[in-house]
Amino acid sequence: MQAALFNFQSLLMVMLLLICTCAYAHSIFPGIMDRNKDGAFGIFWKFARIGERLSPYVSLCCVAMAVSLLIQ
């Protein structure tokens, strides 16, 4: 995981995966994530909110990331 922080493309991939995973988990278990809006686990609620509100842009970024990985 730490190596992903030094490579920009890997960092973007980790961020996209976190956003997608948190948005999916929030749709399945909304009560658990809504209870933890504050504190250390609040970051996951924020990622879920980004995934819900910006879902068309997040999906375009996921497609762009997949295409860029295929090209390499």
Side-chain angles (χ1 to χ4, degrees), residues 22-51:
C22 290
Y24 178 74
H26 187 261
S27 69
I28 301 297
F29 306 111
I32 294 173
M33 294 191 90
D34 287 339
R35 277 192 305 239
N36 296 320
K37 288 182 184 177
D38 300 324
F41 291 111
I43 191 75
F44 299 118
W45 180 82
K46 291 175 186 171
F47 278 134
R49 191 61 60 198
I50 290 170

Side-chain angles (χ1 to χ4, degrees), residues 1 5 9-21 43 47 50 58:
M1 176 78 174
L5 298 177
Q9 186 174 6
S10 297
L11 177 66
L12 286 178
M13 187 182 307
V14 169
M15 296 292 284
L16 281 172
L17 287 173
L18 270 171
I19 289 170
C20 294
T21 303
I43 191 75
F47 278 134
I50 290 170
V58 171

Side-chain angles (χ1 to χ4, degrees), residues 49-64:
R49 191 61 60 198
I50 290 170
E52 291 169 356
R53 292 188 180 171
L54 300 176
S55 60
Y57 299 111
V58 171
S59 63
L60 286 175
C61 288
C62 288
V63 169

